[in-house]
Amino acid sequence: MTKRLNKAPADSISLANSIAMRDTVVTSLEDAKGLNIKVLDVRQLTDITDYMIVATGTSARHVKTIAERVLEFMLEKQWRPFGLEGEESRDWVLVDFIDVVVHIMRDQSRKHYDLEGLWAQTFVEMTPASGLAAGERPPRKRPPT
């Protein structure tokens, strides 16, 4: 399996597409008055996506409206979602565009799951300062018996 860290020249087109998608999502979140918008560049951590974007909605209705706005903006540019989860609960809606994954959450769920903290910790664990090569995963810790 080829690591995404060593992108071939053809991948520059894919990266430009990912950046355009990221920017369109952020614009749509701002347009829908999403709060505390955070863009996480996870290219060095995983090959499942390039960017994770997290935003907060103030209510179940606001979360639904934000998700609808993201879909509207992306469909205008001919980007269709690969997956859409949580639209019934409206507490946490995930919209997967493969290169960009969008998490729209109510404040309580965002604090509880702390996706930014989870990915930040993963990044710290995977940096050369931890003794691992960039992109190398740390060994799994066994639970205490």
Side-chain angles (χ1 to χ4, degrees), residues 6-111:
N6 302 321
K7 292 192 180 255
D11 286 342
S12 62
I13 295 169
S14 177
L15 180 58
N17 192 53
S18 294
I19 291 169
M21 292 176 83
R22 175 200 68 195
D23 293 346
T24 301
V25 167
V26 169
T27 300
S28 69
L29 294 169
E30 292 170 344
D31 186 72
K33 308 287 191 257
L35 304 174
N36 197 15
I37 300 166
K38 299 288 183 202
V39 176
L40 308 173
D41 182 343
V42 296
R43 289 175 291 163
Q44 292 185 9
L45 303 176
T46 181
D47 59 1
I48 61 169
T49 191
D50 289 341
Y51 298 99
M52 287 198 187
I53 303 175
V54 186
T56 301
T58 58
S59 66
R61 178 70 192 146
H62 190 210
V63 167
K64 182 179 189 293
T65 300
I66 294 170
E68 289 170 351
R69 192 63 51 90
V70 168
L71 290 169
E72 177 186 321
F73 274 58
M74 295 298 276
L75 288 171
E76 284 176 6
K77 299 205 177 204
Q78 305 301 310
W79 288 314
R80 301 192 187 303
F82 179 73
L84 178 64
E85 299 288 335
E87 58 188 335
E88 295 299 321
S89 76
R90 300 181 188 174
D91 190 54
W92 177 359
V93 176
L94 181 144
V95 188
D96 184 353
F97 293 100
I98 299 177
D99 290 342
V100 176
V101 176
V102 187
H103 299 272
I104 306 158
M105 309 169 88
R106 292 186 63 189
D107 191 52
Q108 184 178 7
S109 293
R110 186 163 177 178
K111 287 177 183 172

Side-chain angles (χ1 to χ4, degrees), residues 124 126-132:
V124 168
M126 294 176 68
T127 58
S130 67
L132 299 172

